[in-house]
Amino acid sequence: MSPQDNGSTAVVDGATSTGVTKPLLIDGELVTLDKTFPSYNPATGELYGHAPDAGVDEAEAAVAAARRAFDTTTWATDAEFRANCLDQLYQALQDNKEELRELLMGEVGATRVLTHGNQLEAPLEIVKYYADLLRTYPLTEELGEIEIRGQQHRRWIDKEAAGVVAAITAYNYPVQLAMAKLAPALAAGCTVVLKGAPDTPLVTNALGEIIKEHTDIPAGVVNVLSSSGIPVGEVMTTHPEVDVVTFTGSTPVGAQIMAAAAATMKKVFTELGGKSALIVLDDADLDMVAQFAAFSICSHAGQGCALTTRLVVPREKHDEIVARVAGFMANVPFGDPTNPKMYMGPLISAKQRDKVDGLVQRAIEAGATLATGGKAVEPGYFYEPTLLANVDPSSEIAQEEAFGPVLAVIPHDGDDDAVRIANDSKYGLSGGVLTADEQRGIAIGRRIRTGTFSINGGNYFTPDMPFGGYKQSGIGREMSAHGLEEFLETKAYAAAVKA
């Protein structure tokens, strides 16, 4: 049954619900539902809008549309058309980025300054990168002829689209996460069912609206769902017609998705949690340390899986570094995300704010020293930039992802000890080192078990660099040519050559 035939759905006809609303995209049609769920402005705690609350019927319809588009159209085989559609999508996103900016500030709590970076404008370049890459990436590799039992055989390898992709994103960077999945999947020739996070559904749905109204991407190639419940995710991760699952979110949920997808042997890759360490060596510039550490942890209120949330410092310089970092953190401007002077916005929800506060209070009870912050701020879901000193590297706050503006300072006793502390984590997403000696920093980086690593503030987060983790931070890579290859299958050919 198509969503238009379902009694609980209706094609968009201009009707709106309270506040902002954005439709689903299913099989080339923008769809509203009678059943909706609320989205809140985290800076005020007030209702921001409503999103269609898709259920099993809509999820089944979206998967069926993606399957049909993959199996019966030329999308998977016409690379030139795909590249042209990605060009259109890039331009459409640029043309509509002010609407997306408002949604990011209002629904996600992203500050205006961050929308000029990794929340919005930087992720749009992912689309352009894959449009350009598709035009040069070798989808066929010739291996030459070989003689076997007196017969010549020509051999080659083709890279083919993997099929129907279920893409599930987190709430913290909805545009970036969507583009890092959608753009390479489309470049590869896959069709996609994209589901945004329940906390930030409107931003993701807006992407579907842009695709429908401003590109020639065929019906069914991209489907976008919003849902408040678990059943839609279950359909996407277990449906026999889905070939690939890509998920960004928490490690426990990622493990559940891998288990669910195993029954049908889906290709699964994940980008999960992190507890990254920023190592300070004894020759580092302490002013640089203080500024870099403070502003990193306060970026998007600490709601970033790759942020360095552990500051591992020389024991003899611990107190001096704590004082300097605390000074910077106490002066980080936070508040109304629409105010261009604000660097940090709110946490996504009261639930997340309470989780962060609980971790902080338990850390203090366990012996950590509160150097600054440690309080919720209202209205909205703000939490003060918080610095905890003298943290035990085995304690909860040093091991568990807080996803808030909380930095744990841990003393080390030399390079070897710093490496040991940094690697003492179930996660392996990112990390960094600050030092006056770049070669010393590189040597440290090669000993750290993470998928990305920054030396003296180097920025690895660009479309042409692979992003992903070791250990429980996930499997696979997003962005770069590596990200494209996650959505490709390898087929080997051999043809007997006539004499």
Side-chain angles (χ1 to χ4, degrees):
M1 178 184 295
S2 72
Q4 292 90 328
D5 296 330
N6 187 321
S8 66
T9 68
V11 178
V12 170
D13 58 6
T16 60
S17 60
T18 302
V20 178
T21 186
K22 291 291 176 183
L24 311 176
L25 176 62
I26 302 177
D27 202 8
E29 297 290 344
L30 297 176
V31 176
T32 56
L33 305 176
D34 292 335
K35 184 182 179 183
T36 64
F37 65 100
S39 177
Y40 295 94
N41 182 333
T44 64
E46 297 175 353
L47 181 69
Y48 185 69
H50 287 83
D53 199 357
V56 169
D57 288 347
E58 288 75 33
E60 293 274 3
V63 171
R67 184 82 261 166
R68 177 197 54 75
F70 186 83
D71 291 341
T72 67
T73 74
T74 61
W75 181 258
T77 56
D78 192 341
E80 181 179 0
F81 177 57
R82 297 200 303 271
N84 291 338
C85 286
L86 285 169
D87 286 338
Q88 291 178 335
L89 177 57
Y90 175 70
Q91 187 58 53
L93 291 167
Q94 291 287 351
D95 292 343
N96 290 274
K97 69 182 178 183
E98 294 310 317
E99 178 192 4
L100 293 172
R101 196 185 313 279
E102 293 299 321
L103 286 168
L104 285 164
M105 291 187 294
E107 184 180 49
V108 184
T111 54
R112 186 178 296 276
V113 66
L114 288 185
T115 67
H116 289 281
N118 286 345
Q119 277 288 0
L120 177 59
E121 296 190 13
L124 301 192
E125 299 306 312
I126 299 173
V127 182
K128 184 177 187 300
Y129 169 80
Y130 280 108
D132 293 342
L133 179 64
L134 181 55
R135 293 184 168 99
T136 60
Y137 184 86
L139 292 169
T140 297
E141 177 187 0
E142 290 286 346
L143 298 181
E145 292 186 9
I146 190 172
E147 181 181 331
I148 302 175
R149 299 187 185 92
Q151 173 73 57
Q152 290 294 116
H153 299 266
R154 175 197 166 209
R155 300 156 310 130
W156 72 98
I157 295 170
D158 277 358
K159 297 291 184 68
E160 299 181 349
V164 174
V165 173
I168 303 172
T169 63
Y171 65 76
N172 53 334
Y173 285 84
V175 174
Q176 192 280 325
L177 297 175
M179 293 303 104
K181 299 180 188 303
L182 192 61
L186 296 180
C190 295
T191 58
V192 182
V193 179
L194 172 66
K195 178 185 174 296
D199 288 304
T200 56
L202 299 172
V203 179
T204 308
N205 285 7
L207 300 175
E209 197 172 39
I210 290 169
I211 288 168
K212 161 66 176 176
E213 295 179 346
H214 301 287
T215 77
D216 293 327
I217 295 174
V221 169
V222 178
N223 306 270
V224 182
L225 302 176
S226 55
S227 175
S228 65
I230 294 174
V232 167
E234 290 178 339
V235 171
M236 293 174 65
T237 55
T238 62
H239 200 293
E241 298 293 350
V242 170
D243 302 293
V244 180
V245 178
T246 171
F247 169 76
T248 297
S250 71
T251 295
V253 176
Q256 292 172 6
I257 285 174
M258 291 183 69
T264 46
M265 299 299 292
K266 300 185 192 308
K267 184 176 184 179
V268 179
F269 66 103
T270 56
E271 196 270 286
L272 307 175
K275 194 68 182 178
S276 303
L278 177 60
I279 295 173
V280 178
L281 300 186
D282 54 17
D283 60 355
D285 181 324
L286 297 192
D287 285 334
M288 179 184 180
V289 170
Q291 185 170 353
F292 185 81
F295 282 93
S296 175
I297 194 61
C298 294
S299 177
H300 196 35
Q303 296 169 112
C305 52
L307 296 177
T308 46
T309 56
R310 292 180 293 158
L311 185 62
V312 184
V313 306
R315 189 176 301 276
E316 66 274 13
K317 296 185 178 182
H318 173 277
D319 292 351
E320 181 181 1
I321 290 173
V322 167
R324 291 186 185 223
V325 176
F328 272 99
M329 290 182 71
N331 288 291
V332 169
F334 66 92
D336 179 4
T338 65
N339 183 340
K341 295 181 179 180
M342 295 298 110
Y343 179 73
M344 191 182 91
L347 294 170
I348 192 63
S349 65
K351 178 181 178 181
Q352 181 60 23
R353 181 192 59 197
D354 292 345
K355 174 195 170 185
V356 170
D357 186 59
L359 283 166
V360 169
Q361 301 311 319
R362 290 194 298 275
I364 296 169
E365 292 172 2
T369 303
L370 179 65
T372 190
K375 294 180 182 177
V377 179
E378 295 181 339
Y381 310 131
F382 293 91
Y383 199 80
E384 292 178 338
T386 299
L387 184 67
L388 295 168
N390 297 299
V391 171
D392 184 329
S394 64
S395 65
E396 180 189 38
I397 196 63
Q399 294 292 325
E400 297 301 323
E401 186 174 41
F403 233 54
V406 180
L407 182 60
V409 185
I410 303 170
H412 72 75
D413 296 306
D415 293 12
D416 290 346
D417 192 43
V419 169
R420 178 191 64 79
I421 292 169
N423 284 332
D424 181 21
S425 173
K426 63 186 176 185
Y427 299 113
L429 187 54
S430 189
V433 63
L434 299 176
T435 175
D437 184 344
E438 182 177 296
Q439 291 305 310
R440 187 180 175 195
I442 293 172
I444 291 286
R446 287 176 173 156
R447 299 172 65 188
I448 303 299
R449 297 278 297 163
T450 61
T452 55
F453 196 79
S454 170
I455 299 166
N456 291 327
N459 185 5
Y460 53 77
F461 204 72
T462 56
D464 60 343
M465 289 282 282
F467 180 77
Y470 291 15
K471 299 188 280 187
Q472 293 188 38
S473 286
I475 296 173
R477 293 296 181 268
E478 291 189 331
M479 300 194 292
S480 80
H482 297 273
L484 177 67
E485 289 160 2
E486 297 286 358
F487 297 101
L488 294 170
E489 291 284 9
T490 300
K491 181 182 287 186
Y493 285 87
V497 179
K498 293 182 180 180

